[in-house]
Amino acid sequence: MEKINEDNAARKLRWIINANFKGGDFHMIPGFSGNFNPGPEEARRLFRNFIRCVQNAYRKKGKEFKYVFAVERGSRGQKKIHFHVVCNYIDPRILSDLWPWGRIKFFPLDNSGQYVELASYIIKRTSKTFRRGEMSYKKRYSPSRNLIIPEPENEVVPRSKWLKEPRAAWGYYIEKDKTVNGISKVTGYPYQFYSMVKLSDRPPRKAQKKKE
């Protein structure tokens, strides 16, 4: 059940990242350096102040700060707390100046528009911290209020129409290595997960001409 919960969390986080962020945006990791190793409450306070300062910095640039974050506490050495934040682009020097307690690692998002590996990585790295409950966050990840939160559409498919190889809609292709078929251990019903990626350079479908 723990593995199922993690997979579900990673899938929902992927939907959020895919819907709100693009190539050039950031996965950034603010951490604490040197001998400074704040406890959970102080780390929460410092991070909360950081978010407020970043929001103001974006406003001054005529932008709206969008983000989703999760928190991790390392399991080795000093077990320092750090945050995984996916956010829209701004000059990284501005962000670094607003986080004086350590270094921020920046990882630009690629142009694929599909961030399944990133979502899975964040959930995997932060799961132990979430389960321990030491940071007092009630959710695995926390999105800003201005994000699009995609809602899935459920469809009951008759067995006669069940396809082991799903078909892509016009203007999309299916990531073959992301297609998963299986039987739910909870419900006993078959399930299928797959991802369709938009082909931005595909020409629009031509209208068919009728013979007169």
Side-chain angles (χ1 to χ4, degrees):
M1 183 57 69
E2 184 177 296
K3 180 63 167 59
I4 292 174
N5 289 338
E6 286 190 12
D7 289 345
N8 288 337
R11 184 166 61 255
K12 292 178 180 179
L13 179 57
R14 171 169 58 91
W15 294 342
I16 292 175
I17 296 175
N18 286 357
N20 293 277
F21 303 102
K22 61 184 185 302
D25 290 337
F26 290 132
H27 168 213
M28 66 174 177
I29 307 177
F32 300 99
S33 298
N35 295 324
F36 185 42
N37 187 14
E41 290 305 315
E42 185 177 6
R44 281 170 57 96
R45 180 182 62 80
L46 294 175
F47 183 72
R48 188 164 55 245
N49 290 340
F50 170 69
I51 291 295
R52 283 199 289 263
C53 291
V54 172
Q55 288 172 330
N56 291 332
Y58 272 67
R59 290 192 192 102
K60 290 179 181 179
K61 294 291 184 180
K63 297 182 177 182
E64 186 178 26
F65 182 45
K66 299 180 180 181
Y67 65 89
V68 57
F69 79 88
V71 61
E72 176 186 2
R73 187 167 196 173
S75 57
R76 297 179 181 179
Q78 292 181 298
K79 299 182 179 180
K80 288 189 175 182
I81 294 168
H82 51 278
F83 299 85
H84 293 267
V85 186
V86 181
C87 66
N88 54 324
Y89 176 83
I90 196 173
D91 188 336
R93 292 173 295 184
I94 295 176
L95 297 170
S96 295
D97 289 344
L98 296 174
W99 185 260
W101 305 286
R103 175 189 173 193
I104 298 181
K105 299 179 182 178
F106 293 97
F107 303 93
L109 272 61
D110 59 36
N111 292 317
S112 68
Q114 295 290 321
Y115 304 112
V116 57
E117 288 85 4
L118 174 59
S120 297
Y121 173 80
I122 292 175
I123 293 299
K124 181 178 180 180
R125 295 291 302 185
T126 61
S127 283
K128 288 184 179 179
T129 303
F130 171 75
R131 290 198 300 269
R132 289 196 297 261
E134 58 188 301
M135 290 299 296
S136 301
Y137 287 112
K138 296 181 180 181
K139 298 180 180 180
R140 291 179 179 269
Y141 53 84
S142 300
S144 57
R145 294 181 180 179
N146 54 358
L147 293 190
I148 298 169
I149 306 298
E151 293 294 336
E153 295 182 3
N154 296 320
E155 180 183 0
V156 178
V157 180
R159 290 183 181 273
S160 60
K161 295 184 178 181
W162 183 269
L163 299 175
K164 290 185 178 181
E165 294 294 333
R167 297 173 183 171
W170 176 260
Y172 292 79
Y173 72 89
I174 291 176
E175 293 182 299
K176 296 294 185 181
D177 58 336
K178 302 294 192 302
T179 301
V180 178
N181 289 284
I183 303 296
S184 172
K185 295 181 180 179
V186 178
T187 65
Y189 288 104
Y191 64 82
Q192 183 179 82
F193 296 124
Y194 61 92
S195 179
M196 287 196 296
V197 182
K198 188 174 183 179
L199 294 168
S200 57
D201 57 346
R202 185 164 185 170
R205 185 191 294 271
K206 294 182 179 179
Q208 294 181 350
K209 294 182 178 180
K210 293 183 179 180
K211 292 184 179 181
E212 295 182 356

